[in-house]
Amino acid sequence: MPSSNQSLGPPAFFLTGFPGLENSHVWISIPICSMYFVSIAGNCTILFMIKTDQTLHEPMYYFLSMLALSDLGLSSATLPTMLSVLWFNHRWIHFDACLTQMYFIHTFSIIESGILLSMAFDRLVAIRNPLRYTSVLTNEAIVKIGVGVFLRAAFLVFPTAFLLKRLQYGRTNVLSYSFCLHQDILNVVRSDRRTSSIYGLMVVLSSMAVDSVLLIVSYIMILKTVLSIASKVERLRALNTCISHICAVLTFYIPMIGLSMIHRYGKNAPPVVHILMANVYLLVPPLMNPVVYSVKTKQIRTRIIRKFWKDKGSTEAS
């Protein structure tokens, strides 16, 4: 039997904003909201350009569309509770709502990892076997890869909610962030959490850890192929097609590794450092990916500029 201060299904969790900066929450929300709206506008622009421009209906841009959709999903899953804490000081979240948010945050994170790996495969085929590029990455193959990436994430994360529901919690369950993450929920568990903890580790190892290893292997193969090209100009041109993707990979994995390192070795660090790293991990990739691809990918950059000047010219003419 659970003790008097425990329950099998806690009614709510208490979310944390920025400790010690409660009076500045409204000001803190300004850059967070700005990052969110820029990421929404940027990713929607990428999706619009790829959908409306027939010349962008290629495997590389289909994968970029998937990345933009996962970024939109990750931002939309995170922001509501963040703003409820920062704007209205509404900190309580129901247990089921917390598990739902946790599910979508982790699912979209794993989806993004899988898409980044798919984009690395795209670059590998394009550089190593350019003549077979369109025959290998057909529309059917791209759909299968996209569905596989989505299903892997959805099914891997799905059992975590049921495992967490079986655990016991206290009456007051204070989380470390203004959103729900699996490890953070485990930290407030009052019963044996080994099964949930081991399963969570298995999810990370079988998704992001495997993806990161395969990413490294892909780029080793790409680099070997590029170095075998005789012409320096062609080598640079081949590497230049990977720059945007490398930036996206670094933007995703560096904050994730940083957050993991702080969880493991930064227990004495101020709480605001943990919160800042968690926010960077969830907010920066959706913000930076459309910026990087708009700036570094010539095809998208020129079409955005063209569209902007065309609309501006039409407005002035009218």
Side-chain angles (χ1 to χ4, degrees):
M1 293 291 291
S3 63
S4 59
N5 68 339
Q6 292 176 332
S7 61
L8 291 174
F13 287 108
F14 189 78
L15 300 173
T16 301
F18 288 81
L21 300 173
E22 285 80 5
N23 294 332
S24 303
H25 273 180
V26 173
W27 294 106
I28 293 172
S29 71
I30 294 175
I32 289 176
C33 282
S34 300
M35 292 171 68
Y36 176 73
F37 288 123
V38 170
S39 68
I40 291 289
N43 285 296
C44 286
T45 300
I46 294 287
L47 289 169
F48 176 76
M49 289 297 165
I50 294 173
K51 178 177 173 58
T52 57
D53 195 325
Q54 291 290 330
T55 62
L56 297 179
H57 290 183
E58 298 178 4
M60 172 183 172
Y61 302 108
Y62 289 143
F63 287 126
L64 180 56
S65 296
M66 296 179 196
L67 185 66
L69 288 171
S70 70
D71 282 338
L72 289 172
L74 187 59
S75 297
S76 300
T78 308
L79 193 74
T81 54
M82 292 177 64
L83 293 187
S84 71
V85 171
L86 295 176
W87 283 358
F88 309 110
N89 200 33
H90 181 73
R91 297 169 179 265
W92 291 104
I93 181 172
H94 191 271
F95 183 56
D96 290 333
C98 188
L99 293 184
T100 300
Q101 184 186 45
M102 177 207 73
Y103 174 80
F104 282 110
I105 288 176
H106 289 296
T107 296
F108 282 117
S109 295
I110 294 174
I111 287 174
E112 183 143 347
S113 176
I115 293 170
L116 289 172
L117 176 60
S118 303
M119 296 173 84
F121 176 69
D122 169 83
R123 292 298 83 208
L124 178 62
V125 175
I127 291 173
R128 284 181 68 91
N129 297 293
L131 297 179
R132 297 186 57 204
Y133 181 65
T134 54
S135 62
V136 172
L137 288 170
T138 61
N139 289 342
E140 183 181 359
I142 293 168
V143 170
K144 288 180 178 178
I145 291 172
V147 171
V149 166
F150 172 79
L151 291 179
R152 180 190 70 162
F155 285 120
L156 275 177
V157 181
F158 190 69
T160 57
F162 293 97
L163 291 172
L164 289 172
K165 273 181 171 290
R166 299 174 58 223
L167 302 177
Q168 297 172 5
Y169 303 82
R171 292 184 182 276
T172 303
N173 303 289
V174 181
L175 300 181
S176 303
Y177 312 116
S178 54
F179 38 81
C180 299
L181 297 178
H182 182 258
Q183 186 60 44
D184 201 23
I185 296 175
L186 282 180
N187 288 338
V188 299
V189 168
R190 300 290 182 87
S191 57
D192 188 355
R193 61 185 185 182
R194 282 177 296 180
T195 302
S196 288
S197 184
I198 291 171
Y199 184 77
L201 179 61
M202 287 174 57
V203 169
V204 172
L205 292 177
S206 61
S207 56
M208 295 180 183
V210 171
D211 291 349
S212 61
V213 171
L214 293 177
L215 273 166
I216 293 171
V217 171
S218 297
Y219 269 99
I220 290 173
M221 296 174 69
I222 288 172
L223 190 59
K224 287 177 63 177
T225 304
V226 169
L227 293 176
S228 67
I229 299 174
S231 170
K232 182 180 179 181
V233 174
E234 291 298 322
R235 287 202 300 269
L236 292 175
R237 186 178 299 171
L239 284 174
N240 193 50
T241 64
C242 301
I243 294 298
S244 299
H245 179 253
I246 292 172
C247 291
V249 170
L250 294 177
T251 302
F252 178 77
Y253 278 100
I254 288 178
M256 183 183 71
I257 294 170
L259 182 61
S260 300
M261 295 295 286
I262 285 182
H263 267 301
R264 194 171 189 86
Y265 302 110
K267 298 188 185 297
N268 296 324
V272 70
V273 175
H274 292 260
I275 295 168
L276 184 61
M277 283 302 302
N279 280 274
V280 167
Y281 167 58
L282 293 175
L283 292 176
V284 169
L287 170 72
M288 292 304 299
N289 287 338
V291 173
V292 167
Y293 275 95
S294 298
V295 172
K296 295 298 297 180
T297 306
K298 182 180 178 181
Q299 292 86 339
I300 292 179
R301 183 177 68 248
T302 54
R303 280 155 183 79
I304 291 175
I305 294 172
R306 244 183 248 161
K307 180 69 177 176
F308 173 78
W309 284 109
K310 181 180 177 182
D311 291 344
K312 185 178 179 181
S314 300
T315 303
E316 290 176 350
S318 61

